[in-house]
Amino acid sequence: MALGVEPGRAGDLTGGRLHGLLQPGRRGHVLDSAAVGADEVVVVFGEVLGELEAGEFTVGDDAVHEAGLLQHDEVPVDRALGEASAGGRFEELRDRHRARRVRQRFHDGQPIGGHPLMDASKPRRDGVLKSCRRRSALARCHVRSVRRNVDATERFAELVRRPRDEVPLDETALLIAKHAHPDLDLAVPLAELDRLAGDVPDASADDIATVLFGDGGLAGNTVDYGDPRNSYLDDVLARRLGIPISLSVVMIEVGRRRGVPIYGVGMPGHFLVQPVGELDVWFDPFHRGRRLDEAGCRELYEAMRLDPPFSIDMLRAVDTRSILSRMLANLQQTFMRRDPASLVWAVRLTLRLPDLLPGQRRQLAGLLGGVGRFIEAAVELEAVAPDLEGEDAEHVKRDATALRSRAN
């Protein structure tokens, strides 16, 4: 992180620039001149709660980590968080974007979406201050949180771009959870998976299912299926509750540790697993790891009253990327009902999966636009347009233009 605070008093605004420190309690945008020429830059916004010492950082929980995806009146920064130009040249971080809006007057009090302290109640602000112990520590707490999330996003993107059979399911699933739990130490749930594998007496899928869903206590959450914690692998291991796909991830990973390769099976409506080489054997982790044959899978599917009719093709194995995509899709559905603000990170992670079809990217852009991420949605649509032809391409371009107009 390379955005520092220069020495000065609260309230200093040098040279009439936007750079510098704002008065405590005042809301607005901060661009520090120390960021110019730095290796990494972020846009700082939110509420300055006190004097900051030189070398401290300020940042909001909605810090930008993709170039060109800033919204509302946040200032575009072309190399946000490590995205440098090929030639290594850095631009002056002046307020050129807002300066072009000759009819608009800059207003520090304009709300910025996403920051947890903006317009928050006094008890909530006091709680943040109490947890950070002192005012100047607040900035450092925020920057650590955001930096961890950015690292998790970058690491996820790096891993899913590997060849299909080299994408680690356990780590990537935990990186999804880390976006909800920034303080998560991946070593802890990974060690729990190791421990569970150590409890399996014999290297067979039946023994794994018995240990995990018997003495191990893992079970499907039949009380609150839509709880997002059912999709976070660390929570699944800690609470011993999950949904079919997250419980399947546990069984797949314990199997891998025991030398028992197990496939994920993406049956619509209910994820299953199948041991490699056992052609008429499946396991249902949601229902205590019960063993199924093809007839049992058909019965399970037909009980859900889904379309189309059951076929054996529904029991094909899927790769790790497909599992991650389905986990993120589940979270997107949950967040649309329960926590729209969290929908953004789930969509962003999905967009980092390689080989998405243009139609999928359009749909994801629509989700971003639906929660007010107009510029980000427009950028995604503009990236999709060259992959389309004729009226489809023109329609996407018009949608992108409309989204940009809503951000102004």
Side-chain angles (χ1 to χ4, degrees):
M1 187 65 66
L3 183 59
V5 177
E6 294 178 337
R9 299 181 306 276
D12 285 350
L13 287 172
T14 59
R17 292 187 178 184
L18 190 61
H19 307 326
L21 298 178
L22 299 180
Q23 295 175 359
R26 209 176 153 200
R27 298 184 177 94
H29 311 257
V30 180
L31 280 179
D32 193 286
S33 57
V36 179
D39 293 333
E40 297 177 342
V41 292
V42 295
V43 168
V44 177
F45 54 93
E47 183 174 359
V48 178
L49 299 176
E51 293 188 16
L52 300 172
E53 301 172 2
E56 290 183 349
F57 302 105
T58 59
V59 71
D61 276 351
D62 196 20
V64 175
H65 56 273
E66 286 202 52
L69 303 186
L70 304 179
Q71 297 188 76
H72 307 301
D73 283 327
E74 297 163 18
V75 183
V77 178
D78 294 333
R79 269 155 298 284
L81 293 182
E83 294 194 15
S85 65
R89 183 176 61 85
F90 292 87
E91 296 181 356
E92 172 71 20
L93 303 181
R94 300 295 182 89
D95 199 6
R96 292 169 295 143
H97 173 63
R98 191 175 290 104
R100 289 196 296 267
R101 300 182 181 182
V102 295
R103 297 182 182 179
Q104 292 187 353
R105 179 179 178 273
F106 171 66
H107 177 48
D108 274 343
Q110 184 167 355
I112 308 300
H115 194 282
L117 297 180
M118 290 300 292
D119 299 318
S121 65
K122 185 177 185 300
R124 184 175 183 187
R125 291 198 300 270
D126 290 344
V128 172
L129 292 173
K130 182 179 180 181
S131 66
C132 293
R133 300 294 180 90
R134 62 189 184 92
R135 283 183 157 188
S136 61
L138 177 63
R140 292 195 294 272
C141 289
H142 276 309
V143 74
R144 285 198 296 268
S145 173
V146 173
R147 185 67 250 178
R148 282 193 297 266
N149 265 350
V150 173
D151 287 342
T153 303
E154 293 170 353
R155 177 65 175 166
F156 180 89
E158 172 196 342
L159 293 177
V160 297
R161 287 194 296 266
R162 291 180 178 180
R164 289 181 181 275
D165 59 352
E166 296 179 12
V167 180
L169 178 57
D170 51 1
E171 184 177 353
T172 47
L174 285 168
L175 287 169
I176 292 175
K178 191 170 176 64
H179 284 74
H181 308 144
D183 293 323
L184 174 62
D185 181 357
L186 269 61
V188 175
L190 289 174
E192 175 62 9
L193 288 170
D194 293 342
R195 189 193 66 77
L196 287 170
D199 290 342
V200 178
D202 296 309
S204 73
D206 286 291
D207 285 324
I208 292 170
T210 298
V211 169
L212 294 181
F213 308 109
D215 293 341
L218 286 157
N221 189 342
T222 59
V223 175
D224 190 1
Y225 191 92
D227 188 333
R229 293 177 295 177
N230 295 330
S231 294
Y232 302 145
L233 185 56
D234 60 324
D235 278 337
V236 172
L237 292 169
R239 302 170 68 231
R240 293 300 199 255
L241 289 174
I243 52 178
I245 192 167
S246 59
L247 294 168
S248 294
V249 168
V250 175
M251 187 166 176
I252 291 169
E253 280 302 312
V254 169
R256 183 179 66 82
R257 285 162 167 78
R258 292 291 289 145
V260 181
I262 298 173
Y263 290 135
V265 175
M267 187 175 77
H270 200 98
F271 204 87
L272 302 169
V273 297
Q274 182 179 37
V276 174
E278 299 190 39
L279 299 181
D280 195 34
V281 176
W282 291 266
F283 289 88
D284 178 6
F286 188 78
H287 294 107
R288 294 290 184 180
R290 64 177 176 171
R291 184 180 173 123
L292 301 171
D293 57 12
E294 181 183 338
C297 295
R298 177 190 296 272
E299 181 181 355
L300 176 60
Y301 179 80
E302 291 177 347
M304 295 184 286
R305 301 179 182 274
L306 300 177
D307 288 323
F310 176 83
S311 75
I312 190 64
D313 288 341
M314 294 178 177
L315 300 180
R316 288 181 177 175
V318 295
D319 64 13
T320 297
R321 288 182 196 159
S322 298
I323 295 174
L324 298 171
S325 177
R326 186 156 167 173
M327 292 179 76
L328 288 166
N330 288 339
L331 282 170
Q332 289 164 27
Q333 292 295 320
T334 293
F335 291 151
M336 282 191 286
R337 295 189 301 269
R338 300 189 180 203
D339 184 13
S342 294
L343 179 63
V344 176
W345 66 254
V347 171
R348 285 173 176 165
L349 284 184
T350 306
L351 285 167
R352 281 161 173 75
L353 295 170
D355 304 324
L356 290 176
L357 299 175
Q360 293 173 299
R361 293 161 64 191
R362 288 178 68 178
Q363 182 182 22
L364 292 166
L367 292 176
L368 290 172
V371 292
R373 300 284 172 164
F374 304 125
I375 297 299
E376 191 169 352
V379 168
E380 186 59 36
L381 288 178
E382 289 161 354
V384 171
D387 297 331
L388 301 172
E389 297 180 354
E391 183 59 29
D392 284 342
E394 293 304 314
H395 183 72
V396 166
K397 292 177 183 177
R398 289 194 297 269
D399 286 346
T401 301
L403 285 165
R404 287 190 177 277
S405 69
R406 294 184 66 185
N408 293 331

